[in-house]
Amino acid sequence: MLAGPVIRKLDENGFELRLFSRTVKPSMFINEYDIVQGDLFNPVDLEKAMNGCDAIHITISSTDDVKATEVILKMAGKKEIKLISMVSGCTVSEENRWYKFIDKKFRAEQMIMQSGIPYFIFRPTWFFESLEMLVRNGKATILGRQTGLYHWVAADDFGSMVANAFSTKGAENEIYYVYGPERYGMKELLERYCKRIYPEIESVSVASIPMLKIIAFLTGNKTLKFAASLFGYFEKVREPEIPEQDLAKLGKAEIDFETWLEL
């Protein structure tokens, strides 16, 4: 969801890329890239991935960002990496560390900032591409009463900002928030999404977080347990207000929802 647009934009900006993950394959891409398939926690794989690299961009789905960041930084120091960037989240902050998932991201950020390696930290809000995850088996469902408003952003705009950061001298050692041009509630936007993409879905339902947690406990469904916990967190926490001039440091996001639907 996020790696693809970043790869395209870095490629367009003339960067030589090596892609590293457990599942990455050449068939996933139109252009040819140097690909290393392996496990982040296998030192042999990680060293092979970093050999000859100047910079690293971290975009991982692991819920244990601390352990992942620790092994990456250890190898980065060994390989004399000159620049490192990380995808975090817009609500990551000291005050939200009460939630374990956010605490780990906050600690990972701190590890990078204190590593001595120049860095970029990206804190994006919700992505338009996330809407598809809320549609399953012909039904569209919001987890919990999500009343917060978010500046939903297109992954392509995010990719452009990452490429701009790596291309801009003096942009290092900053935290960059990534917001889109319009603000929507989750239910409102999912309804609009379904109207265009899934017109057969007549309404968006709202699932109770406590009920989801009970179901997850009874069935042993770890994915559902994490999803219920995460959306429970977003019931309580709001997107932070960021000054416009700070959001424009790497170029403002320009893709609105209607434009994104046409991409």
Side-chain angles (χ1 to χ4, degrees):
M1 185 176 75
L2 301 184
V6 171
I7 290 166
R8 289 196 302 272
K9 297 299 181 179
L10 286 172
D11 192 2
E12 289 171 7
N13 278 263
F15 290 95
E16 184 178 351
L17 305 177
R18 176 178 295 144
L19 316 181
F20 174 54
S21 84
R22 291 189 302 271
T23 57
V24 65
K25 299 177 182 177
S27 59
M28 295 177 176
F29 308 98
I30 296 174
N31 294 338
E32 292 185 6
Y33 299 110
D34 184 1
I35 289 178
V36 175
Q37 194 175 65
D39 185 349
L40 172 65
F41 294 101
N42 183 328
V44 175
D45 292 345
L46 188 57
E47 183 170 16
K48 183 179 178 182
M50 285 195 198
N51 280 336
C53 289
D54 299 304
I56 302 168
H57 176 65
I58 307 172
T59 174
I60 54 177
S61 58
S62 168
T63 56
D64 199 340
D65 294 83
V66 174
K67 288 183 179 179
T69 302
E70 185 177 27
V71 298
I72 290 171
L73 287 175
K74 184 177 180 179
M75 188 63 70
K78 180 179 177 181
K79 294 297 178 180
E80 299 183 347
I81 296 297
K82 300 178 180 65
L83 189 58
I84 189 167
S85 66
M86 170 193 173
V87 182
S88 185
C90 72
T91 65
V92 175
S93 66
E94 180 74 51
E95 66 182 19
N96 292 331
R97 292 181 66 185
W98 54 268
Y99 183 51
K100 188 175 181 180
F101 180 74
I102 295 298
D103 176 63
K104 288 182 177 180
K105 288 199 173 295
F106 182 86
R107 288 162 59 197
E109 286 186 357
Q110 293 298 307
M111 290 169 67
I112 288 174
M113 288 188 280
Q114 295 167 13
S115 69
I117 302 173
Y119 65 86
F120 310 119
I121 303 291
F122 298 102
R123 288 181 175 176
T125 188
W126 283 88
F127 288 93
F128 291 135
E129 287 78 4
S130 302
L131 293 167
E132 183 62 25
M133 298 179 183
L134 302 176
V135 181
R136 289 288 183 272
N137 302 318
K139 297 181 180 180
T141 307
I142 297 290
L143 279 64
R145 297 181 66 253
Q146 303 299 331
T147 59
L149 299 177
Y150 298 93
H151 288 88
W152 292 72
V153 67
D156 270 4
D157 270 336
F158 174 64
S160 295
M161 291 183 187
V162 173
N164 288 345
F166 278 98
S167 303
T168 304
K169 186 176 181 179
E172 302 88 352
N173 302 328
E174 290 274 358
I175 293 176
Y176 294 102
Y177 285 84
V178 183
Y179 287 6
E182 300 173 322
R183 214 171 194 179
Y184 293 101
M186 190 175 294
K187 190 170 187 290
E188 172 197 0
L189 198 61
L190 184 58
E191 288 172 342
R192 291 183 61 177
Y193 179 71
C194 289
K195 187 175 181 180
R196 287 286 298 276
I197 308 301
Y198 297 101
E200 70 277 10
I201 297 178
E202 297 181 356
S203 63
V204 172
S205 60
V206 178
S208 162
I209 295 291
M211 181 59 68
L212 291 173
K213 289 182 176 179
I214 291 172
I215 294 172
F217 174 76
L218 293 176
T219 61
N221 189 325
K222 292 182 180 180
T223 300
L224 180 59
K225 179 181 178 181
F226 174 71
S229 172
L230 183 65
F231 278 83
Y233 165 80
F234 280 108
E235 279 188 323
K236 302 171 184 176
V237 175
R238 296 293 179 262
E239 177 189 271
E241 298 290 337
I242 306 298
E244 286 293 325
Q245 62 268 25
D246 291 340
L247 293 174
K249 286 181 178 179
L250 295 175
K252 294 187 67 174
E254 298 179 350
I255 302 173
D256 60 24
F257 180 64
E258 291 299 324
T259 302
W260 175 76
L261 285 173
E262 300 301 325
L263 293 178

